[in-house]
Amino acid sequence: MSEMTARGLRADAQLNHDRLLESAARAFARDGADTSLKAIAQDAGVGIGTLYRRFPTRDDLIEATYRNETELLCERAPRLLLERSPLDATRSWMEGFVDYMLTKHGMAEALPAILAAQEGLRLHSRDLLRGAIATLAEACIEEGTIRDGVPADDIMMALGGITLIAANESQRDLASRLIDLLLTGLATR
């Protein structure tokens, strides 16, 4: 029998799974939730049958993409802190959050029903995001670059507001400028 990966799939099946989720995230961000599943499969380098074996419905693919994008973003926070100063890591993570939200906006029509059907998914995602933000904020506080006492929830809400204002690629530069304003507002005085 072939060796299984940590997620319980053979290495080649896991690779196909990961490529499908990467392709789906790009397609949903660019074209919305109604994008062609055949095009997603082609972009991932697999057949449509492989896509349907992994994700029997469009909603299954949207849910898996949402979960995967949330986890990838949150796993990025501690890695960034190893590579950069806390403030630079936080700025980079916030830019990634904007990209994450653009992908999520592409799935916006389908996500409310999926989140309603999957008890706890919304709260789980918020907990992951809150934890990543808290990790970054604590490192910045220790560095002395942002002030203490701002809850991670407030920072998350501010980032959410930024993404609502700059809800599409054409306003991506605006989101970056607003992130700079947010970080300035969080700076130690």
Side-chain angles (χ1 to χ4, degrees), residues 1-187:
M1 178 172 231
S2 299
E3 188 172 327
M4 304 292 267
T5 66
R7 292 187 193 172
L9 297 174
R10 291 184 335 264
D12 60 333
Q14 184 65 54
L15 181 61
N16 287 342
H17 178 88
D18 293 344
R19 287 193 318 222
L20 281 165
L21 292 176
E22 290 168 13
S23 295
R26 283 191 302 272
F28 293 143
R30 182 183 60 240
D31 303 323
D34 292 332
T35 192
S36 164
L37 296 182
K38 185 176 180 183
I40 290 172
Q42 286 175 337
D43 183 56
V46 302
I48 191 72
T50 299
L51 183 145
Y52 281 117
R53 272 191 301 283
R54 297 293 316 138
F55 310 103
T57 69
R58 180 179 298 273
D59 283 356
D60 291 334
L61 179 59
I62 292 169
E63 177 191 341
T65 302
Y66 172 72
R67 283 180 187 271
N68 189 59
E69 290 298 301
T70 303
E71 290 168 5
L72 289 173
L73 175 64
C74 293
E75 290 168 357
R76 192 168 170 235
R79 286 196 317 267
L80 285 168
L81 287 169
L82 293 174
E83 301 166 359
R84 302 169 184 213
S85 73
L87 188 61
D88 288 343
T90 301
R91 177 178 278 108
S92 180
W93 190 89
M94 287 179 171
E95 294 285 351
F97 180 88
V98 170
D99 295 336
Y100 159 81
M101 291 299 287
L102 289 172
T103 298
K104 189 175 162 188
H105 283 305
M107 300 181 284
E109 290 179 19
L111 269 176
I114 292 168
L115 291 172
Q118 295 295 320
E119 188 175 322
L121 178 56
R122 182 186 306 265
L123 292 176
H124 175 70
S125 297
R126 282 190 185 192
D127 286 345
L128 289 176
L129 292 166
R130 184 181 302 114
I133 291 168
T135 296
L136 292 161
E138 288 167 13
C140 287
I141 291 165
E142 288 177 23
E143 180 187 49
T145 52
I146 70 168
R147 59 192 160 95
D148 197 1
V150 179
D153 282 331
D154 290 3
I155 297 170
M156 185 166 48
M157 294 302 288
L159 279 171
I162 288 169
T163 60
L164 288 174
I165 292 167
N168 59 54
E169 276 299 317
S170 68
Q171 296 196 347
R172 186 62 181 82
D173 289 342
L174 174 60
S176 293
R177 292 192 313 272
L178 292 173
I179 286 171
D180 286 338
L181 285 173
L182 173 59
L183 290 172
T184 298
L186 291 170

